[in-house]
Amino acid sequence: MTLAVLFPLIMAAVCALLARQLGRRTGYLAALGFLPALLLAVPLAGNSVEVGGTPFNQVTGWVPELGLNFAFRGDGFSLLFAVLIGVIGALASLYSVAYLSERERFGRFYPYLLLFGGSMLGLVLSDNMIALFAFWEMTSVTSFLLIGLWHTRSEARDGAIKAFLVSALGGLGLLAAVALLSVAGGSTTLSGLDLEAVRASPMFIPALLLTLLAAFTKSAQLPFHLWLPTAMEAPTPVSAFLHSATMVKAGVVLVAKFGLIFGTSALWGGIIVPLGLATMFWGSWRALKQTDLKALLAFSTVSQLGLLMALYGLADAEGRFAATTHLLNHAAFKAALFFVVGIIDHETGTRETFRLSGLRRKLPLTFAVALLATLSMAGLPPLGGFISKELFYEAMIHAGPGFIAVSVIGSAFTLAYCARLIGIFFGDFRAPEDDTGQPLKPHIHEAGLGLLLPPALLAGAALLFGILPSSAEWLTRRAGAALNFAGYEGHLYLWHGVTPALLLTLLTWGLAALLVWQAARVYFLQVHVEFPLSSNRIYRGLLRGLETLASRVIAGTQGLALPDQLRITLAAAGLMGGYAVWRAPQVFQPLEAVPLSTLPIAVLLVAGALGVLLSRNRLTAVVLTGLTGFGSAVAFLAMRAPDLALTQLLIEAVTVILFLLVFRSLPGFRSLPRGRVRGVIDVVLAGSAGIGATLLVLASIRFLSPPISPYYLENAYKEGGGKNVVNVILVDFRGWDTLGEIMVVAMVALAVGSLVRLGRRGQARSEKDTAPASQDLLDLQKRQS
Amino acid sequence: MSPKRTPKKAVKTASAQPRPGDLLINDPILKTISRAAFALVMLFALLLLWRGHNAPGGGFIAGLMTVCALILHRIANGDSALRVDPVKFIPWGLALSFTTGLVPYLLGRPFLKSDYGYLTTALTGEFEWATALLFDLGVFLVVVGAGLALAYALIEVDPTELVEGDS
């Protein structure tokens, strides 16, 4: 399993390296990356998972001291989902080989896709909750990259940012929930949680709410659904992957898995089921309004996710059984439909429903695939979708009449938009034209095998699940032990007698027929009914508010002139020293005798500092500053720290050089404003900062006990094999710190480099510089002093 | 930075105005001395890097020394002694340091755990090797890259260009 998660990540690097040579064929490599995930089907097919035999675990240490490990647990549900990801990931990779144009940047696309698939696999297989969170965030980041793949388009950027912000919000919620759970349950692994302790803990309710926040943001439930439709800016194969098996289902996975912890609480189902149904209704209503096929499918995903959420939220065996069945069906038909829309877009050049008609004649095979998938989505027999819809009604009948009404209306809308979708294949063929009346594509013909095969396979699966329900049930049952419905007696049948659910289905069909019959009026109604509270508007408002707040804060704190910033820093240093002395006045107790030999160094240092104050010339000032630096170096030498001394010396040298380089760009030293009052303030500030820093050092000398240095002296050679203790500390004992520090150095260099380059572009104010006595420069100086 | 506003060219006063980067070019004394000094300083820097494990020295100091040498060369001769953009050292250095940490981790030991041992050859006698040196080499590369990137960026600034806030 570790291999299954790791392999796509490794293949991502391989693809990135080879993309230039392989071009579009990189897609085959990417499909190969999902191979280990497909191999997980072997343990899944074995009987042990089905009957609740011990799931097999794999633990790889990460930071074992903190309970942070990659613990992968292959129970039935996780394996089922992992195989689903593998299948659709591989199909999406193969499909995109034929779909993407030759100019596409494959070196980005396939690595992103693989990284995304790998993190999704990690997410579903992780038993360790912290690793789960890490993978969760990785899916957010990689989906951001995927959605924004065509980053030159502003819609893609907006969509990517929106998706990222919303799901990152949920990610923070998940982190907090995971922390609460692991504290309350005494373990960082899901399987190791002490459920009794968690349920008794006061952190139960907050953890529950935070988990729901995470699940709702990721799975686009009602207040957070706004990101999903804009996420369709991603290339179509990505959308197929994102919408069917992965990203958006992550929240569903969370609800399914954590439902075993929280399901006992009435709050859990009380929130999820109504919200899920509301999402289902709202998604299907909005989907019916869309004229862009991909947008229609995106809203349909929102709606279907609501349905899945509601079923898992029921937290009984029946609901989980129904939900898992629908999960399979949905993955099959939704991926197939996205692939089909990709074909239509690819072959005709448009996705607008009103431009397309009669495609049946030109694209007969695509039509067959689309028909199967759409019928499954609509929940019509004899397809898989029908069976899971029946189960859904069955479950909702037990939930209550209000829920039944919403689900019937939502399903009717679903049928209606399915009719709209399939409608583009009927009627007379009309070549799609752009706004000027030019045909978009001269010759419309059937798509090639590379485009047709993946959706055909998936549509075949949808058909298989319908006419041979035992196949779907066989798969669904795999998850039974993990999701606690192994004891559930229900079975999947295409015909299960005249039941209330079937009557509801008939009612749905009637309503849907009405909607299709009155399609024009419904559309009119939809266009004219505006809901005042759109979550998109709230999102934009929030974002604008945040920006305003940020710019105000920045203007208030960062916009000061450099001298003011320095004053703040100095004042802080003084305050800190004062605080230290206030807390621990013992600092003033007798110091050890000052060795006489350090006096000349002290004199040198003080002289240097005073000299800087008195100098009237920038160059002198810098040289004298250097004097204090060299003095410190001598002091280090006297204290037998040659490494520090050497470093100090070199830093001084480099600093002087950099200073000199900067000077060329600065105005004359004398022209700096020197006010009398400010001068006094500065003297006070500098003095207090100096005293504060001294006190701070003294305090730290006295209270840092026992000193750690003997440990290093003893172990430096034994452990690190070096006689220079300082360097052994740097590269071995505290190597992590050094690694962090060089990263900081690298960041600073890149930042300064780009800042300097930024200043060079178009900001020239050369006239002022060549004629320094010009009037406005003098004005400027007056204003500043 | 609207595209409409074209940058105003500095008023050139014949060829007397120094171009960015040629600070002291063609100063014969500096040029001659820098040639010798450059080689010496570089050698010393590499020595510092090498012996850092057992005596004062190490990647950081050696990197700073190299930066000094290269800036000296740049100031004296007006061109970089390196064929490549020093910025490119930064990612390689980071990667090297990180890899030296990753390898022991993948071998089942703590991240960044270093190893050392002794080799005895007829020519050099006993000789100690330590993987920490590789880590130090990464530090060295980052410091050289960062220091030079800073210095070169500043050298290339046309002193006649001022940014907002200067006066």
Side-chain angles (χ1 to χ4, degrees), chain B residues 3 7 12 20 24 27 33 40 56 70 74 78 82 89 92 111 118-119 143 157 159:
Chain B
K12 295 265 176 188
L24 287 168
D27 183 317
I33 290 181
L40 276 177
L70 286 166
R74 169 77 188 248
L82 296 168
F89 287 159
W92 286 108
F111 189 79
Y118 299 93
L119 281 177
V143 172
V157 170

Side-chain angles (χ1 to χ4, degrees), chain B residues 7-44:
Chain B
K8 290 164 192 162
K9 287 270 189 262
V11 183
K12 295 265 176 188
T13 50
S15 60
Q17 191 164 16
R19 299 246 320 279
D22 17 288
L23 298 164
L24 287 168
I25 289 189
N26 296 332
D27 183 317
I29 299 175
L30 183 66
K31 218 170 175 176
T32 314
I33 290 181
S34 85
R35 212 171 293 153
F38 177 71
L40 276 177
V41 176
M42 280 303 293
L43 262 180
F44 186 55

Side-chain angles (χ1 to χ4, degrees), chain A residues 61 664-665 667 717 721 723-724 732, chain B residues 54-55 105 114 118 128 154 167:
Chain A
R664 300 178 304 141
S665 312
Y717 193 70
K723 297 191 189 87
N724 178 2
D732 193 313
Chain B
N54 289 319
Y105 174 75
S114 73
Y118 299 93
E128 186 195 345
L154 289 173
S167 54

